[in-house]
Amino acid sequence: MSIDMLTIPAQCVTQSRIEELDYNNIEFGKIFSDHMLVADYKDGAWQNPQILPYGPMDLSPATSALHYGQAIFEGMKAYRDANGDVLLFRPLDNFNRLNLSAERMCMPALPEDIFMQGLEQLLKLDAAWVPPTAGCALYLRPFMFATDNFIGVRPSDTYRFIIFSCPVGAYYGQPLKVAIEPNYVRSAEGGAGFAKAAGNYGAALLPARKMQEKGYHQLIWTDAKEHKYIEESGTMNVMFVMDGKLVTPPVSTTILKGITRNSVLTLARDFGYTVEERKVSVDEIVAAHKAGKLQEAFGTGTAATIAQIATIHYNGEDMDLPAIEEREISNRISAELDKIKTGQSPDPHNWVQRISL
Ligand SMILES: *Cc1c(COP(=O)(O)O)cnc(C)c1O
């Protein structure tokens, strides 16, 4: 089979489970669409991509991903436009980032065709699972993990790639109370913080839980050397508006290169705002707040697009930020991004890929 000509064989469900889905009341991450894409890497090549009914799989207890953590993932959303078509937002960027993560974790690159055609065919089959309701979407979870049944420490010789999906409701998260983390680190220079690796998430759960016990939704990571510079907010990139300028830390080996981050910065520049990608110190944030110049703070990521930050805690003090309604830059960009993703605004950067059903 030539990968170029690939049309992925599908074994379809005999009975869809779509009746389980209440479009008006979708719980995040609990109901999965009918089908999944599966491909396996062995003998030095990706083989046998196929679409199967969503369901459990057999795994040996010695599956190496479970022991040594060669596991990476992506997260993306498909939306429905006014004509009922299904739209993907920047899927090639997710594909490229998956392979960047794969390289860092010593895993094989996935061919573009398997990712892109897999997505397209899955979405055609499971189009009914893309909610028509405003603000809702079908969340897609591509991921790859090591499958050798072997408990010696070495890169696995075999891997599995899967894409499955689940409908998600509108993000009505309340504005976040976050706290700057003074002790734990998410990633260090030379580490794997830029990769979307499962282990990065595992190691972040305890620090996040401890912050939650102190009454904060999320933490803001600081650099591993001095805890002096801002990195990210939980599992989102983080941005500030100070004195009318949009400021965010530059991407590096420690910061994940968010697609939402890039989209927000691009639109901000389009709109004519001043954008600065540079180191942001905790001291600068505190000083800007004292001077009344810290106007906005928010996280960016696929799940929320823009998650507003209401309060930032540092060193025993809560800094309360201006009301969400007063935040010109983030509100304007958030609204425009939502419109682009759902086909209601022009798409000057060719971010949207339409799936013809
Ligand atoms: C996925 C992720 C983001 C956001 O990336 P998007 O492409 O915008 O969804 C930011 N930070 C971390 C640590 C992430 O894992």
Side-chain angles (χ1 to χ4, degrees), residues 116-139:
M116 295 304 291
Q117 291 193 27
L119 273 178
E120 194 175 330
Q121 286 186 226
L122 265 183
L123 284 168
K124 283 182 182 178
L125 267 178
D126 283 346
W129 291 84
V130 186
T133 333
C136 298
L138 186 68
Y139 183 84

Side-chain angles (χ1 to χ4, degrees), residues 36-315:
M36 62 181 182
L37 172 97
V38 181
D40 283 306
Y41 181 89
K42 56 181 182 232
D43 305 326
W46 284 97
Q47 336 208 334
N48 196 23
Q50 53 184 325
I51 289 173
L52 299 172
Y54 175 88
M57 47 190 172
D58 271 341
L59 284 180
S60 154
T63 299
S64 64
L66 301 177
H67 301 269
Y68 307 121
Q70 280 185 293
I72 57 173
F73 68 97
E74 275 300 321
M76 54 204 297
K77 282 180 178 174
Y79 302 83
R80 214 175 256 286
D81 74 359
N83 305 320
D85 285 346
V86 170
L87 308 182
L88 275 171
F89 187 70
R90 306 187 69 172
L92 259 179
D93 293 276
N94 291 98
F95 166 72
N96 288 326
R97 189 170 63 193
L98 179 86
N99 278 344
L100 203 72
S101 301
E103 184 186 15
R104 180 63 183 81
M105 299 306 286
C106 207
M107 300 164 85
L110 186 82
E112 185 179 317
D113 289 332
I114 293 182
F115 191 93
M116 295 304 291
Q117 291 193 27
L119 273 178
E120 194 175 330
Q121 286 186 226
L122 265 183
L123 284 168
K124 283 182 182 178
L125 267 178
D126 283 346
W129 291 84
V130 186
T133 333
C136 298
L138 186 68
Y139 183 84
L140 293 142
R141 170 50 60 88
F143 69 113
M144 188 198 294
F145 63 100
T147 52
D148 274 7
N149 300 331
F150 177 65
I151 55 159
V153 181
R154 57 148 175 74
S156 181
D157 288 329
T158 62
Y159 296 87
R160 179 163 289 175
F161 174 70
I162 296 181
I163 307 176
F164 67 83
S165 67
C166 51
V168 291
Y171 179 89
Y172 287 126
Q174 51 184 325
L176 303 174
K177 286 183 76 174
V178 303
I180 293 174
E181 173 58 55
N183 299 308
Y184 288 109
V185 295
R186 191 189 81 88
S187 80
E189 275 171 40
F194 67 91
K196 234 172 157 62
N200 288 340
Y201 278 67
L205 293 175
L206 177 70
R209 163 75 61 83
K210 288 191 170 180
M211 276 310 182
Q212 283 156 13
E213 283 165 2
K214 291 182 186 156
Y216 298 92
H217 298 107
Q218 200 46 273
L219 49 76
I220 288 189
W221 299 107
T222 48
D223 74 281
K225 273 187 202 148
E226 304 174 274
H227 292 295
K228 205 172 145 185
Y229 295 97
I230 305 274
E231 296 256 311
E232 299 199 52
S233 176
T235 59
M236 292 183 284
N237 295 112
V238 67
M239 301 192 182
F240 304 92
V241 175
M242 290 183 277
D243 214 6
K245 295 178 198 144
L246 182 60
V247 183
T248 194
V251 286
S252 65
T253 56
T254 66
I255 292 183
L256 194 121
K257 218 172 170 176
I259 295 164
T260 315
R261 175 189 183 279
N262 177 270
S263 307
V264 168
L265 297 182
T266 303
L267 287 187
R269 290 181 173 116
D270 288 354
F271 287 153
Y273 295 116
T274 302
V275 172
E276 294 179 357
E277 292 180 72
R278 59 165 173 81
K279 287 195 166 196
V280 184
S281 70
V282 177
D283 287 348
E284 178 182 0
I285 297 295
V286 173
H289 179 256
K290 280 221 174 81
K293 291 181 176 171
L294 181 58
Q295 295 146 326
E296 308 184 26
F298 54 95
T300 69
T302 294
T305 306
I306 284 181
Q308 295 288 357
I309 293 173
T311 301
I312 303 175
H313 178 93
Y314 179 61
N315 209 10

